[in-house]
Amino acid sequence: SQELEQSPQSLIVQEGKNLTINCTSSKTLYGLYWYKQKYGEGLIFLMMLQKGGEEKSHEKITAKLDEKKQQSSLHITASQPSHAGIYLCGADAWRDDKIIFGKGTRLHILP
Amino acid sequence: EAQVTQNPRYLITVTGKKLTVTCSQNMNHEYMSWYRQDPGLGLRQIYYSMNVEVTDKGDVPEGYKVSRKEKRNFPLILESPSPNQTSLYFCASSLSPGIYGYTFGSGTRLTVV
């Protein structure tokens, strides 16, 4: 069955440092979504990527989808405490409007 | 404000006592879905609905029921809850998940003792 692998599972970075989270699929993705979740709370939509090579930015967060549409990366520049949380990637892998999710990456920011 | 509203936010219940978690959206979305989130397992889909009176099983439907009698509401029913259904539950809605992704509710933390 289709799965999304996220790496790393957990990340601890010093405030002000850059970081990257990856999301990999064994199959072509027809829509890739990034969400952020504060611990124990709801998911907040960050960005959606659909085209191979596409890149989007929101404030200090940039997401890219590779040309093959099988891997996406989320990059945070000059991290801040407000970036802490769980980042999840989701994808419509079968073009059937059924969204599956990776297991998430827990991000901790050290002051 | 456009939103997905779940109730309750927190619930502690005993094994076997039927319960319903309500979900309502005010965005006129066709699609609605229930997910559960567990440590190490991530988000897993329980049931989804593509429109009124149309529901389908997700990856982990056992022990759950849903109904979609109105477009805005999609309640999750646990007829006989068991401790392995202790989890964080999310309701979500979308015009078309493959195009727009989902809008999520704030979650319901359920504990079954």
Side-chain angles (χ1 to χ4, degrees):
Chain A
S1 63
Q2 173 64 28
E3 285 188 358
L4 292 176
E5 294 287 335
Q6 278 189 243
S7 62
Q9 287 185 323
S10 181
L11 192 55
I12 303 173
V13 300
Q14 199 77 39
E15 183 178 351
K17 297 292 186 186
N18 303 337
L19 63 104
T20 299
I21 298 168
N22 293 303
C23 177
T24 303
S25 167
S26 56
K27 297 183 187 294
T28 300
L29 302 169
Y30 294 101
L32 189 288
Y33 316 92
W34 282 101
Y35 288 86
K36 179 187 174 185
Q37 183 184 21
K38 290 281 190 187
Y39 297 110
E41 296 183 13
L43 281 71
I44 299 166
F45 175 79
L46 293 176
M47 277 172 275
M48 180 183 72
L49 305 164
Q50 286 188 307
K51 299 176 187 172
E54 188 175 7
E55 179 175 321
K56 286 187 178 178
S57 292
H58 174 68
E59 296 178 347
K60 293 185 178 179
I61 301 176
T62 300
K64 300 179 189 178
L65 183 61
D66 74 342
E67 291 289 344
K68 279 188 178 178
K69 293 171 65 175
Q70 287 186 262
Q71 183 170 22
S72 178
S73 60
L74 185 87
H75 184 77
I76 297 177
T77 304
S79 58
Q80 300 168 352
S82 60
H83 289 129
I86 302 171
Y87 289 82
L88 295 110
C89 63
D92 177 7
W94 297 101
R95 251 187 181 164
D96 61 356
D97 280 329
K98 187 172 176 183
I99 308 297
I100 59 171
F101 287 88
K103 292 180 181 176
T105 295
R106 287 180 173 265
L107 174 62
H108 302 274
I109 307 293
L110 297 176
Chain B
E1 182 189 350
Q3 60 186 0
V4 178
T5 304
Q6 290 178 235
N7 280 297
R9 286 294 308 274
Y10 302 92
L11 180 60
I12 301 174
T13 191
V14 296
T15 299
K17 186 176 181 183
K18 181 179 178 180
L19 67 92
T20 300
V21 184
T22 64
C23 175
S24 180
Q25 51 95 3
N26 61 1
M27 295 167 280
N28 203 36
H29 285 169
E30 272 75 28
Y31 286 79
M32 295 187 76
S33 186
W34 277 102
Y35 287 87
R36 61 177 287 177
Q37 187 178 36
D38 302 286
L41 298 175
L43 273 168
R44 294 178 294 167
Q45 193 175 47
I46 304 170
Y47 269 95
Y48 64 100
S49 168
M50 290 182 283
N51 214 325
V52 175
E53 302 292 2
V54 181
T55 63
D56 209 346
K57 294 178 181 178
D59 297 316
V60 288
E62 293 78 21
Y64 304 95
K65 281 175 58 176
V66 292
S67 70
R68 189 93 182 272
K69 295 190 172 70
E70 306 165 279
K71 199 173 189 179
R72 62 182 291 125
N73 295 323
F74 192 44
L76 180 70
I77 303 155
L78 285 72
E79 294 271 2
S80 183
S82 62
N84 65 12
Q85 292 178 297
T86 292
S87 187
L88 180 57
Y89 291 87
F90 289 103
C91 180
S93 74
S94 178
L95 268 175
S96 175
I99 298 174
Y100 302 107
Y102 272 117
T103 300
F104 282 84
S106 300
T108 295
R109 187 169 290 282
L110 172 65
T111 302
V112 184
V113 298

